[in-house]
Amino acid sequence: ESLVAELATELVARIGELTIRIQQLERRIAELMAELSPRLLELAGCAALTAAKIVGETADVRRFRSRAAFAMNNGTAPIPVWSGNHQRFRLNRGGNRQLNAAMHRIAITQLRLNGAGRIYLDAKVAAGATKKEALRALRRRVSDEVYRRLREDRLERSVGTPRLAA
């Protein structure tokens, strides 16, 4: 009956309304991504919101001449570093940070799912890379796969050929 209880009741009701609206928008985004980039949604670790972020930040994949250019844009391209006769690669801190975060989310999810990402990371670590270096390499590998899928989806939309079920 107090003012605090009244405010709390209004806030809980508003949170409920916003939750319903968020769920509606998430479903709509998932529908749009299924039309725009179905192959991207098939990538392990890439859900509708991450796919939407990638498609939105990339704008049009045709503007990238290669997967290396795409990787440079999203900050997953390695930067060579030399120390004496030892060559290694370090993390690229440039590029589109939103795209980089999306690649990181996909990579981390793949590690959590114990799928191909986990196998790749474990193989890199067994070959002598540090976990940080192996994760950087996994993000680059994810970037290459995202680029390939974006190109395939773009080509399918432009040509209008039906997609074969996998």
Side-chain angles (χ1 to χ4, degrees), residues 62-80:
R62 291 181 298 177
R63 68 188 179 114
F64 302 106
R65 66 186 178 281
S66 67
R67 62 189 175 98
F70 181 70
M72 193 59 125
N73 177 263
N74 66 39
T76 59
I79 298 175

Side-chain angles (χ1 to χ4, degrees), residues 11 22 29 31 47 72 75 77 85 88 100 120 124 132 136 159:
L11 285 174
I22 288 168
I29 288 171
E31 291 168 5
M72 193 59 125
N85 289 332
R88 62 183 183 85
N100 190 279
Y120 181 78
K124 284 295 227 183
K132 190 181 271 190
R136 184 211 49 81
V159 174

Side-chain angles (χ1 to χ4, degrees), residues 38-98:
R39 285 178 180 86
L40 193 55
L41 288 177
E42 293 170 359
L43 179 62
C46 185
L49 293 178
T50 301
K53 177 57 96 172
I54 291 169
V55 169
E57 292 289 335
T58 301
D60 187 1
V61 74
R62 291 181 298 177
R63 68 188 179 114
F64 302 106
R65 66 186 178 281
S66 67
R67 62 189 175 98
F70 181 70
M72 193 59 125
N73 177 263
N74 66 39
T76 59
I79 298 175
V81 178
W82 290 273
S83 176
N85 289 332
H86 182 67
Q87 180 183 4
R88 62 183 183 85
F89 297 94
R90 72 172 178 83
L91 175 68
N92 181 353
R93 301 229 183 259
N96 184 322
R97 303 315 298 158
Q98 294 295 316

Side-chain angles (χ1 to χ4, degrees), residues 92-112:
N92 181 353
R93 301 229 183 259
N96 184 322
R97 303 315 298 158
Q98 294 295 316
L99 274 174
N100 190 279
M103 301 303 155
H104 183 74
R105 273 192 302 273
I106 294 170
I108 294 300
T109 304
Q110 285 185 358
L111 291 177
R112 189 173 41 87

Side-chain angles (χ1 to χ4, degrees), residues 4 11 20 44 50 67 72 93-94 142-143 156 163:
V4 173
L11 285 174
I20 291 169
T50 301
R67 62 189 175 98
M72 193 59 125
R93 301 229 183 259
V142 166
S143 171
E156 182 182 306
R163 185 165 175 252

Side-chain angles (χ1 to χ4, degrees), residues 120-133:
Y120 181 78
L121 185 107
D122 290 344
K124 284 295 227 183
V125 169
T130 66
K131 188 168 181 183
K132 190 181 271 190
E133 290 171 337

